Amino acid sequence: MSLSIEQVRRIATLARIELSDAEAEATRGKLNGIFGLIEQMQAVDTAGVEPMSHPQDVAQRLRPDVATEPDRREAFQRIAPQTEAGLYLVPKVIE
């Protein structure tokens, strides 16, 4: 796929970018280069290749899932203006 200068100008207009003639031509070259790389990658046969989340087979070190803060819900509920069944009651905003 190759973009024309008119297509680059249309994209720039949609993106609200003002391009001079030289900038439009340079941008066209860069975009066509990107599309060329995409075409090369799409030409590769990937049948039977398993998707990977990372290019190297490494395990992520995770911390233990433990609570580090004390449960202060009761203290917060006591100072709230209105609560009911453990929920905070707020004024109705939308009718």
Side-chain angles (χ1 to χ4, degrees), residues 20-85:
S20 67
D21 291 339
E23 291 171 329
E25 191 59 44
T27 303
R28 184 174 80 93
K30 290 176 184 176
L31 288 173
N32 284 337
I34 292 169
F35 287 132
L37 289 174
I38 292 171
E39 288 174 356
Q40 287 178 9
M41 287 189 282
Q42 288 178 337
V44 174
D45 181 22
T46 58
V49 176
E50 294 279 329
M52 299 174 13
S53 62
H54 194 277
Q56 298 175 349
D57 189 21
V58 295
Q60 186 176 6
R61 292 176 282 155
L62 300 175
R63 62 174 171 76
D65 189 16
V66 295
T68 57
E69 295 287 326
D71 182 12
R72 299 177 44 198
R73 181 177 182 205
E74 291 299 324
F76 292 138
Q77 293 271 310
R78 277 195 304 273
I79 61 173
Q82 290 182 317
T83 60
E84 181 179 303

